[in-house]
Amino acid sequence: MSWSRALLTALAVCALLLAGSAGCGSGGTPAQKGDRVSPSPVGKVLDDTDEQGRHYREVNKKGAPGVGIEVEPDAAEDSWDVTLTVHDFRFSPAGAKPVAVAGRGTVRLLVDGRTVARLRVPEYRIAADLVPHGTHHVTARLYADDGTVWAVHGKPVESTADVTASAAQATPDGSGTPPSAPTRGPE
């Protein structure tokens, strides 16, 4: 009788230990809903690449991440304020593992096709010298943490705003005029 009770107790302890360790995330804190990494690959990596040679990662349109961009002049700072609106997308923190996780990553901000910043937040200020006199394309493009470009139907997930920077003109008080009027990109 005592050996069967000891066996049942040992089995119960083993079951509790296994169940307890399965519910713990790394770092000793429970994993949050959005922090779980899918064991299966996310999307399909295509042969197509962006200007820097980074491959596209094709995902279904339903539930695909998206981005909108708004660019406004900031005369006081002699710069351009960029505000991003994302959906079905989360910015990854610095130090994130270089693994593609559905709807997560960074945004590359490009001016006329040249990368000027890699963003982990939805706001950024572009220095005026990066947007000289004339019309320019400011693009926000979504990237997975492994460096691939999120894509739908073979096209990168991105949004572009056209901005026109005017030459500074002297005013009676000696100050220059601000850059051009605000511009919104498609959302």
Side-chain angles (χ1 to χ4, degrees):
M1 180 164 110
S2 65
W3 67 270
S4 62
R5 184 175 286 167
L7 179 62
L8 288 176
T9 302
L11 287 174
V13 168
C14 288
L16 286 173
L17 287 173
L18 288 174
S21 66
C24 296
S26 62
T29 59
Q32 294 179 1
K33 181 180 176 185
D35 292 341
R36 294 190 184 103
V37 176
S38 170
S40 62
V42 177
K44 177 185 176 189
V45 177
L46 305 176
D47 289 334
D48 295 336
T49 63
D50 68 0
E51 301 87 359
Q52 290 87 27
R54 298 179 183 277
H55 287 276
Y56 291 175
R57 179 174 295 279
E58 180 79 25
V59 292
N60 291 328
K61 184 173 182 172
K62 183 178 180 183
V67 63
I69 186 170
E70 183 176 336
V71 182
E72 295 183 352
D74 185 341
E77 297 289 330
D78 193 28
S79 60
W80 295 84
D81 291 334
V82 176
T83 304
L84 304 176
T85 305
V86 296
H87 61 85
D88 294 328
F89 183 81
R90 289 182 309 118
F91 291 92
S92 294
K97 291 182 181 179
V99 174
V101 176
R104 194 172 84 181
T106 60
V107 175
R108 292 195 189 230
L109 195 61
L110 302 99
V111 174
D112 297 330
R114 184 175 47 98
T115 301
V116 296
R118 184 173 160 202
L119 306 178
R120 296 182 182 278
V121 293
E123 292 96 20
Y124 187 74
R125 179 167 285 146
I126 301 175
D129 61 338
L130 294 175
V131 186
H133 177 70
T135 300
H136 303 277
H137 308 290
V138 180
T139 301
R141 185 178 296 155
L142 302 184
Y143 286 78
D145 290 323
D146 66 351
T148 55
V149 182
W150 290 113
V152 174
H153 299 302
K155 305 282 186 203
V157 177
E158 62 183 28
S159 183
T160 300
D162 293 334
V163 297
T164 301
S166 304
Q169 299 172 355
T171 58
D173 66 358
S175 66
T177 59
S180 67
T183 305
R184 279 184 79 103
E187 292 186 38

